[in-house]
Amino acid sequence: MEQAEVGSAYVETFIQLTITGLANGAILSLAALGFVIVFKATGVINFAQGYFLLVGAYLVWAGMVQFNLPWFFAVIVALVVAVLMGLATERFVLRPLVGENVISVIMVTIGLAFVLQGLVQFIWGTEPRPMPAFIPRGTVELLGVPVTLNRIWAVVIAGAVLAALTLFFQRSRHGIAMRAVADDQQAAMVVGISVRKVFALAWALAAASAVLAGIIVANLFGASGEVAVFGLLVFPVVILGGLDSVPGVMIAGAIIGLLVSYTAGYVGGGLQQVIPYIVLVLILLLRPYGLFGEVRIERV
Amino acid sequence: MSSVRNGDAGGQGRSAPAPGGPADTALMLELNNVEVIYEEVILVLRGMSMQVPEGKIVALLGSNGAGKSTTLKAICGLLPSEHGEITDGTITFGGIDVTHTDAAQIVRMGLSLVMEGRRVFGHLTVSENLVAGAHTRRDSHADDLDMVYGYFPRLADLRGRTAGYLSGGEQQMLAIGRALMARPRIMMLDEPSLGLAPMLVSEIFDIVQRLNRDLGTTVLLVEQNARRALNIADHGYIMEQGRIVLEGPAADLADNPDVKEFYLGIGESGQRRSYRDVKHYKRRKRWL
């Protein structure tokens, strides 16, 4: 009797940790997707990606609390601002740097990260802001285990957006054009694809997907500097998945999410905050192109 | 007897089309004294002039480094992406000045380039490559897909295959098909025979000829394989050190003793000479 209860508690914990991990993983994949899009299409390593999440969290908080907008409009406004932010980043920060060396571009994106963080603190301060619930917060029974609904929604939303973007890259004219530019810029120009427009689109998509991820994070944990810390997990995810692989970020997101969640549940002691970066270092040592990094096609 | 003309020795470009030249029909593309400089110091084209009449096949021949590819890139607006620029002269397409028009706009106007080395999108499938080729088109391109698959039945069988894994010949076909998807009025091909087996070269050249005949597509063909190119071309230009040194109807060019000797590898006595002799000789005698 006693034994069985311990066993079921164990299973329950495991399932809850798994769901938490997958939910975080889905959000991470969404945030990391923008990084991959920008890297694939433009070759820029964007260190500011995590801070786009922070901006998203505060934007939607401001929309709902400061401007009293219904949550739906607050999200739309945040996404519009995100797209504008992405376009502005491309136009005013990165376009002047075309042809500069990689390190300069990386330094500029790190600078952009600090600017975004500074702006957020300047406008909204540093104290954490609790978020009014807009995704239902009840619990449902899943496999006999109570699971909070907002995590399931996080998985559903992130999954739907990832699926839509995947479809966009496979089917739509602009999606194919983006992949063509990623493949061979000059050949893309020759078929009449405007490389500039593709760059702008990449940044807009990157910012929008990161801001959406930030909104989901804010809904789970509230708007605070912690969102940026969560956003930094983008790097272990993209390194693990391979910088330029869309399926890679999805799987790596789930792996990192689960790893953090299990470590928090079973080991604890703050190790969960370090473990993703241990993975990052190991991957860089053992398999620098990640699990799914693009293999150069060479015919023999 | 022959209408082959030598270019000006003094390097003065010609501006007026000569009688009997290729300008008998409407001009589709005209280069006038074009000068191209790379990296602000390297002079690659020095007064390049040529004319491509509508509906014809024109061959542009010359040895390595003569400036053939640069000519095509100048026409297509690709020079800025390679730190090059047109510093003098004009390029007109269908009577419109396109000297500094950007690449995407040029494609939209009906000018397509099949780049040297095929340059298919290696990570995209065959059909995605073709869809990318139709990027400038707003209308439906389903018919054109069928047309391309009609010309290249092999591509139809491979449509779901990743382009990077196709054979060289298949990639060349895909590159031509992709250019065709934009419905070009003029197609420019940069060394389509490069690295292909002779059988495949014949196949590719056959198709180029058919495209010209069936669709009325004007063709500007850049080649090292002078014999084949002159075989299908109406008119030929020979380029050296950044300008045209010889031009004429393709048949006359093929008969020209200089061309025979330098580009077709046939000596005065009629027998083929070793490539090495030809190369050696060429170094001594230049048209310039």
Side-chain angles (χ1 to χ4, degrees):
Chain A
M1 191 65 207
E2 184 98 338
Q3 200 101 38
E5 232 159 64
V6 169
S8 82
Y10 184 81
V11 169
E12 196 170 300
T13 314
F14 179 77
I15 292 176
Q16 262 169 349
L17 287 176
T18 305
I19 302 247
T20 306
L22 286 178
N24 290 351
I27 305 166
L28 275 178
S29 299
L30 185 58
L33 190 69
F35 180 94
V36 171
I37 292 171
V38 164
F39 180 73
K40 250 180 108 85
T42 72
V44 170
I45 294 177
N46 177 22
F47 275 91
Q49 185 73 15
Y51 292 89
F52 284 163
L53 270 77
L54 183 70
V55 174
Y58 274 94
L59 276 176
V60 82
W61 177 84
M64 287 177 66
V65 177
Q66 294 183 316
F67 295 97
N68 269 321
L69 294 172
W71 70 268
F72 182 75
F73 288 112
V75 170
I76 298 279
V77 168
L79 286 177
V80 170
V81 173
V83 167
L84 294 177
M85 181 172 69
L87 291 176
T89 307
E90 192 273 331
R91 177 64 189 86
F92 298 111
V93 181
L94 287 140
R95 198 181 294 173
L97 287 172
V98 168
E100 296 293 329
N101 71 49
V102 184
I103 298 295
S104 316
V105 178
I106 287 178
M107 293 310 288
V108 167
T109 66
I110 293 176
L112 179 66
F114 288 125
V115 169
L116 290 178
Q117 189 180 28
L119 269 179
V120 166
Q121 291 180 353
F122 176 70
I123 300 173
W124 290 292
T126 49
E127 66 209 85
R129 312 283 189 170
M131 194 76 179
F134 61 90
I135 298 177
R137 277 202 181 156
T139 53
V140 284
E141 291 257 312
L142 198 74
L143 302 170
V145 180
V147 177
T148 51
L149 208 51
N150 54 5
R151 292 204 189 275
I152 293 182
W153 273 109
V155 176
V156 171
I157 295 170
V161 174
L162 285 171
L165 280 174
T166 308
L167 209 62
F168 167 78
F169 283 119
Q170 300 298 332
R171 296 288 157 78
S172 91
R173 176 171 161 265
H174 290 289
I176 290 176
M178 281 185 81
R179 287 166 59 215
V181 168
D183 215 274
D184 186 335
Q185 268 183 32
Q186 220 180 25
M189 290 168 72
V190 162
V191 297
I193 294 169
S194 163
V195 173
R196 247 178 213 183
K197 278 186 196 154
V198 165
F199 281 13
L201 182 63
W203 278 97
L205 277 178
S209 59
V211 160
L212 189 62
I215 293 170
I216 301 174
V217 176
N219 179 67
L220 291 178
F221 312 118
S224 72
E226 287 295 302
V227 179
V229 176
F230 183 88
L232 280 184
L233 288 174
V234 161
F235 296 106
V237 170
V238 292
I239 297 285
L240 178 62
L243 286 178
D244 49 13
S245 166
V246 174
V249 293
M250 298 187 198
I251 292 164
I255 293 175
I256 297 284
L258 287 173
L259 201 62
V260 169
S261 168
Y262 290 148
T263 314
Y266 295 126
V267 186
L271 183 66
Q272 69 270 22
Q273 296 188 331
V274 186
I275 195 88
Y277 300 98
I278 295 175
V279 172
L280 177 130
V281 171
L282 284 180
I283 284 285
L284 284 177
L285 283 175
L286 302 175
R287 210 181 146 87
Y289 40 90
L291 296 179
F292 302 93
E294 200 154 81
V295 189
R296 278 186 177 278
I297 293 181
E298 280 182 39
R299 287 186 314 114
V300 237
Chain B
M1 181 200 130
S2 158
S3 56
V4 173
R5 292 178 299 119
N6 269 327
D8 303 358
Q12 305 287 315
R14 284 161 287 104
S15 46
D24 294 343
T25 45
L27 274 187
M28 171 138 287
L29 184 68
E30 184 173 20
L31 277 76
N32 210 333
N33 266 320
V34 174
E35 184 180 271
V36 167
I37 296 182
Y38 276 111
E39 310 270 5
E40 292 179 7
V41 282
I42 310 157
L43 182 62
V44 183
L45 295 191
R46 32 186 109 201
M48 166 80 188
S49 298
M50 70 180 298
Q51 290 142 3
V52 182
E54 189 162 1
K56 300 283 186 207
I57 300 182
V58 171
L60 177 59
L61 312 174
S63 53
N64 282 328
K68 307 183 299 290
S69 296
T70 301
T71 305
L72 295 190
K73 284 174 184 161
I75 298 169
C76 289
L78 286 182
L79 290 179
S81 67
E82 297 193 336
H83 305 284
E85 65 172 327
I86 301 173
T87 47
D88 199 10
T90 53
I91 301 171
T92 51
F93 174 59
I96 301 162
D97 187 337
V98 294
T99 315
H100 299 286
T101 308
D102 86 335
Q105 183 57 31
I106 294 233
V107 179
R108 222 162 265 134
M109 290 172 74
L111 214 147
S112 280
L113 171 66
V114 179
M115 291 176 90
E116 181 178 356
R118 310 184 279 264
R119 303 286 285 271
V120 296
F121 301 123
H123 295 95
L124 273 60
T125 64
V126 167
S127 64
E128 284 169 346
N129 265 276
L130 295 177
V131 172
H135 185 80
T136 51
R137 305 254 317 271
R138 296 276 156 191
D139 47 335
S140 154
H141 50 254
D143 291 352
D144 299 78
L145 265 179
D146 290 341
M147 177 192 72
V148 169
Y149 288 143
Y151 278 105
F152 303 102
R154 210 173 321 170
L155 293 184
D157 301 334
L158 298 168
R159 63 182 83 190
R161 197 76 70 81
T162 304
Y165 293 115
L166 301 184
S167 76
E170 288 157 357
Q171 288 190 355
Q172 188 64 61
M173 292 176 189
L174 180 56
I176 296 175
R178 186 178 68 186
L180 214 50
M181 291 298 291
R183 287 253 183 101
R185 290 164 64 200
I186 176 167
M187 186 184 277
M188 304 190 289
L189 298 109
D190 196 353
E191 308 244 6
S193 72
L194 194 74
L196 298 186
M199 280 263 288
L200 277 168
V201 177
S202 307
E203 203 177 329
I204 300 273
F205 274 45
D206 259 14
I207 286 167
V208 170
Q209 241 181 328
R210 273 172 57 205
L211 293 176
N212 171 256
R213 205 172 340 121
D214 305 349
L215 306 175
T217 312
T218 309
V219 175
L220 174 56
L221 179 63
V222 161
E223 259 301 335
Q224 298 247 18
N225 194 334
R227 189 196 318 268
R228 302 247 197 189
L230 288 176
N231 230 337
I232 65 164
D234 299 297
H235 200 86
Y237 284 89
I238 290 175
M239 212 180 167
E240 207 158 272
Q241 297 194 336
R243 61 167 75 101
I244 298 295
V245 290
L246 198 67
E247 66 157 296
D252 294 356
L253 272 185
D255 282 342
N256 181 294
D258 284 342
V259 175
K260 266 187 173 167
E261 184 141 7
F262 300 136
Y263 291 100
L264 306 180
I266 302 163
E268 301 269 320
S269 49
Q271 87 270 28
R272 274 194 89 155
R273 306 230 309 237
S274 113
Y275 182 58
R276 195 166 164 194
D277 295 339
V278 176
K279 254 180 117 171
H280 179 67
Y281 188 47
K282 202 160 134 189
R283 226 170 288 137
R284 276 187 287 131
K285 183 183 171 188
R286 290 207 177 267
W287 278 291
L288 288 176

